[in-house]
């Protein structure tokens, strides 16, 4: 079960990356061209208004391995569904994660099914587990699940060397590619923005959590790329850096946003409840 929880942490970690956007598939950007810093700032501003999205992710996470998957998330109300493959020295297979009604479900892994007497899902209900369980949302990898991934896109606004790379087509969408480097000190500086403090306390808290996450990974700085469409939304986002356990290289391509996201809990007969398992162990 510990290995399954580890995979959960990998998957939810991936929620912390990139702005969200899609855009029209026909033609180039219709709005006047902006300076790189202004274009990045505008995309970051628009990201705060996104409440749901679907995206595709590929890359590698330090100490965990290569990942490939697709996810959908609703920010309000919070709900998430992710299917992904993780390949490293100890894990090679697909896993699915669902987050709904303050409970997280992990399933889709044949090895885990064998360990749970045929049950194909395990449920982490934090309200039922309670503080005495010794488990927290962060420890189970769900601490980042409630974040709007657009939070990380705003970090490129703190770059001192952001520049335009050129125009590129991503999934049929005409975009402008921007690139810059940003240190953790630069990220902390963005939190001092008075407009951010006054406008959206939730966004600030999300960005603080991301910075803490990167600190734990041992990152000092990152290279960030953003592909922004003609509607000033980020179509694709990439972040790279050298962490203590290896390189981080994650690319997130957004498929749509602000469309309904429906997530349902797995059937109870196929689910093993961790809270009940722990109570049974205590009674035994």
């Amino acid at each position: 079960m510990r290995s399954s929880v580890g995979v959960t942490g990998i998957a939810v970690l991936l929620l912390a990356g990139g702005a969200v956007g899609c855009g029209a598939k026909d033609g180039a950007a219709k709005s006047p061209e902006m300076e790189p810093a202004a274009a990045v700032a505008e995309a970051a501003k628009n990201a705060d208004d996104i409440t749901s999205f679907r995206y595709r992710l590929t890359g590698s996470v330090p100490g965990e391995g290569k990942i490939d998957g697709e996810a959908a998330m609703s920010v309000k109300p919070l709900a998430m569904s992710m299917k992904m493959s993780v390949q490293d020295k100890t894990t090679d297979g697909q896993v699915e994660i669902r987050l709904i009604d303050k409970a997280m479900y992990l399933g889709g892994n044949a090895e885990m099914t064998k360990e749970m007497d045929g049950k194909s899902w395990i449920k982490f209900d934090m309200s039922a587990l309670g503080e005495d369980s010794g488990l927290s949302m962060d420890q189970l990898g769900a601490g980042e699940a409630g974040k709007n991934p657009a939070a990380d896109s705003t970090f490129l606004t703190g770059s001192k060397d952001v520049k335009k790379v050129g125009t590129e087509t991503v999934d049929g969408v005409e975009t402008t590619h921007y690139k810059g480097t940003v240190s953790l000190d630069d990220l902390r500086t963005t939190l001092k923005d008075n407009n951010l403090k006054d406008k959206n306390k939730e966004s600030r808290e999300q960005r603080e959590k991301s910075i803490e996450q990167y600190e734990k990974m041992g990152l000092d700085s990152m290279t960030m790329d953003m592909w922004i469409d003609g509607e000033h939304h980020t179509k694709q986002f990439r972040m790279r850096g050298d962490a203590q356990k290896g390189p981080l290289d994650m690319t997130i391509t957004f498929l749509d946003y602000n469309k309904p996201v429906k997530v349902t809990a797995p059937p109870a007969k196929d689910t093993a409840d961790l809270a009940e398992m722990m109570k049974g162990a205590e009674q035994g």
Side-chain angles (χ1 to χ4, degrees), residues 266-280:
K269 64 182 181 62
D270 297 328
T271 303
D273 192 313
L274 180 61
E276 294 179 1
M277 293 167 62
M278 293 181 69
K279 290 179 181 178

Side-chain angles (χ1 to χ4, degrees), residues 224-240:
M224 293 189 165
D225 294 77
M226 291 175 67
W227 288 261
I228 300 175
D229 67 20
E231 297 178 352
H232 306 293
H233 288 111
T234 304
K235 171 62 179 177
Q236 185 167 274
F237 182 84
R238 184 183 185 187
M239 52 184 167
R240 291 169 287 167

Side-chain angles (χ1 to χ4, degrees), residues 14 56-60 66-69 249-253:
L14 304 178
R56 181 173 63 246
L57 52 94
T58 58
S60 59
K66 296 181 179 180
I67 58 89
D68 183 11
D249 189 347
M250 188 60 51
T251 298
I252 301 176
T253 305

Side-chain angles (χ1 to χ4, degrees), residues 70-86:
E70 188 169 319
M73 182 178 182
S74 169
V75 178
K76 292 182 180 180
L78 177 60
M80 183 269 289
S81 175
M82 174 183 286
K83 292 182 179 180
M84 63 176 294
S85 296
V86 181

Side-chain angles (χ1 to χ4, degrees), residues 17-241:
V20 187
C22 56
K25 289 183 176 289
D26 298 323
K30 297 180 180 179
S31 57
E33 184 172 349
M34 305 173 69
E35 290 296 320
V40 169
E42 182 69 12
K45 178 182 177 182
N46 291 337
D48 285 337
D49 297 327
I50 294 170
T51 59
S52 64
F53 42 86
R54 290 191 310 115
Y55 63 95
R56 181 173 63 246
L57 52 94
T58 58
S60 59
V61 178
E64 303 295 353
K66 296 181 179 180
I67 58 89
D68 183 11
E70 188 169 319
M73 182 178 182
S74 169
V75 178
K76 292 182 180 180
L78 177 60
M80 183 269 289
S81 175
M82 174 183 286
K83 292 182 179 180
M84 63 176 294
S85 296
V86 181
Q87 298 178 350
D88 62 14
K89 296 179 180 179
T90 59
T91 305
D92 189 353
Q94 190 177 68
V95 65
E96 181 176 354
I97 295 173
R98 298 181 190 179
L99 181 64
I100 184 172
D101 296 333
K102 299 182 180 180
M104 182 171 63
Y105 299 85
L106 175 66
N109 186 287
E111 181 179 348
M112 185 176 67
T113 300
K114 293 179 181 179
E115 297 175 356
M116 299 190 303
D117 297 327
K119 300 284 188 179
S120 55
W121 292 86
I122 185 168
K123 177 182 179 180
F124 302 92
D125 187 336
M126 300 314 300
S127 60
L129 288 171
E131 297 180 358
D132 295 338
S133 68
L135 296 174
S136 67
M137 292 289 278
D138 288 331
Q139 287 170 315
L140 290 175
E144 300 296 333
K147 291 175 53 180
N148 185 337
D152 281 28
S153 71
T154 64
F155 291 153
L156 191 54
T157 62
S159 173
K160 298 180 177 63
D161 61 358
V162 60
K163 62 181 180 181
K164 176 182 174 181
V165 177
T167 57
E168 301 173 18
T169 300
V170 179
D171 271 4
V173 176
E174 186 83 5
T175 69
T176 303
H177 181 184
Y178 298 95
K179 182 177 182 179
T181 56
V182 60
S183 68
L184 289 191
D185 287 339
D186 293 331
L187 301 188
R188 296 186 187 94
T189 298
T190 65
L191 298 178
K192 299 177 182 179
D193 187 332
N194 289 328
N195 291 329
L196 176 60
K197 291 180 180 179
D198 296 337
K199 179 183 176 182
N200 196 331
K201 178 181 178 181
E202 184 175 325
S203 292
R204 176 184 172 84
E205 292 175 348
Q206 291 169 351
R207 295 168 202 180
E208 288 175 338
K209 289 181 179 179
S210 289
I211 293 174
E212 292 174 0
Q213 190 175 62
Y214 294 134
E215 286 178 329
K216 291 178 181 178
M217 294 174 65
L219 286 167
D220 295 322
S221 63
M222 291 182 289
T223 298
M224 293 189 165
D225 294 77
M226 291 175 67
W227 288 261
I228 300 175
D229 67 20
E231 297 178 352
H232 306 293
H233 288 111
T234 304
K235 171 62 179 177
Q236 185 167 274
F237 182 84
R238 184 183 185 187
M239 52 184 167
R240 291 169 287 167

